[in-house]
Amino acid sequence: MTTRVRKIKNILFKTLICTGSAIAAAPLCFILYFIVQMGWKSINWNFFVEIPKPVGESGGGIANALVGSALLLLVACVMAVPIGISVGVYLSEFSNKGPAKWIRLSMEVLSGVPSIVIGILVYAWVVKPMGHFSALSGSIALAIMMLPIMVRTAEETLKLIPSTLKEAAFALGAPYSTTILKVVLPAGISGLVTGVLLAFARIVGETAPLLFTAFGNPYISTNLFKPVASLPLILFNYAISPYEDWHTLAWGASFLLVLFILLLNLTAKLVSLRWKVLR
């Protein structure tokens, strides 16, 4: 009788876990299904190579948003990746020092700051002194949002590198800088790449900070000191518009964003798993 009761409890517990997992995954599946259903209709060649048409004209695309997003994300990564990895190296090497504790606390607080607040701060620090909106200010806002994820991932990754690697490099006469650059960082490259991908996925769909910085542009622009369009901005503006053609473009933009973020997260997961296998 006791064994039978235990089996029944085991089955009930497994059923409860599977049900909870299905409920947790259901919203994601519903969102993906709905966005694919509504968004794939907009995907065609003109959608990628044309700029939006004037109100009243059918057709057009989001080429300006694609170019603007690529510019914003590229510049943000150029600014954030070296700083994030450098801070991660410092925290992993001098974790018990006083400044390291304050830096770690600052990154934790920064990760909880709403994106719209970061946008307002960059507007006050960069946009107002410059006198106009620009791609550069938008990239600065996105780079700030990338830092907490990158710093934390870099720190945790480099802490897992065996200290014997550094000791071996020091024993061969390598200076500290060479040891970090040519021994420690290459050993943790997969984990660092995972952190970059996760931080990148975090900012791809951000809209709020770009409203105060990049602002938007109906034309294709690659000038860092001029306003540029982006996928989140064009999605926001078209979704609240009263025009059906713009709604169609908004669904297409949302489809691209969700697909891109999904691919980034899957890539980060695969890189992370490969790093665990190699270790």
Side-chain angles (χ1 to χ4, degrees), residues 9-246:
K9 288 182 178 180
N10 187 54
I11 293 173
L12 290 175
F13 188 71
K14 287 183 177 179
T15 303
L16 180 63
I17 292 176
C18 293
T19 303
S21 301
I23 292 173
L28 174 62
C29 295
F30 176 76
I31 290 171
L32 291 176
Y33 172 77
F34 192 75
I35 289 178
V36 171
Q37 183 186 35
M38 298 296 294
W40 74 271
K41 303 173 185 177
S42 304
I43 305 301
N44 53 54
W45 178 249
N46 293 334
F47 182 78
F48 294 100
V49 299
E50 292 186 359
I51 63 174
K53 296 288 186 181
V55 176
E57 294 188 22
S58 60
I62 59 169
N64 58 330
L66 294 174
V67 174
S69 289
L71 179 65
L72 288 168
L73 296 172
L74 176 62
V75 177
C77 286
V78 169
M79 291 189 289
V81 170
I83 297 175
I85 293 178
S86 299
V87 175
V89 170
Y90 177 82
L91 294 179
S92 65
E93 292 292 312
F94 307 100
S95 58
N96 296 323
K97 301 291 183 179
K101 297 178 181 179
W102 288 107
I103 293 173
R104 192 177 294 110
L105 176 62
S106 299
M107 291 297 102
E108 292 174 357
V109 173
L110 184 59
S111 65
V113 175
S115 60
I116 193 168
V117 175
I118 295 176
I120 293 173
L121 291 175
V122 175
Y123 173 82
W125 293 341
V126 182
V127 176
K128 289 190 71 175
M130 290 178 65
H132 55 83
F133 300 100
S134 65
L136 179 62
S137 59
S139 295
I140 292 173
L142 296 179
I144 293 174
M145 297 181 62
M146 290 181 69
L147 283 177
I149 300 175
M150 291 197 56
V151 169
R152 190 63 178 170
T153 307
E155 179 187 5
E156 295 301 324
T157 297
L158 297 178
K159 280 183 176 179
L160 297 175
I161 304 300
S163 59
T164 52
L165 287 177
K166 291 190 293 183
E167 293 171 358
F170 291 145
L172 293 173
Y176 183 76
S177 58
T178 302
T179 301
I180 295 297
L181 293 175
K182 295 187 176 181
V183 177
V184 176
L185 291 180
I189 188 64
S190 295
L192 298 176
V193 170
T194 300
V196 172
L197 291 174
L198 291 175
F200 193 78
R202 169 71 175 83
I203 65 170
V204 165
E206 281 297 332
T207 307
L210 300 181
L211 291 172
F212 300 96
T213 52
F215 189 70
N217 192 332
Y219 305 103
I220 295 176
S221 174
T222 56
N223 191 336
L224 278 177
F225 301 99
K226 297 293 182 180
V228 295
S230 68
L231 278 175
L233 279 177
I234 209 169
L235 171 57
F236 172 77
N237 291 326
Y238 284 7
I240 63 175
S241 72
Y243 309 112
E244 190 62 31
D245 288 341
W246 285 14

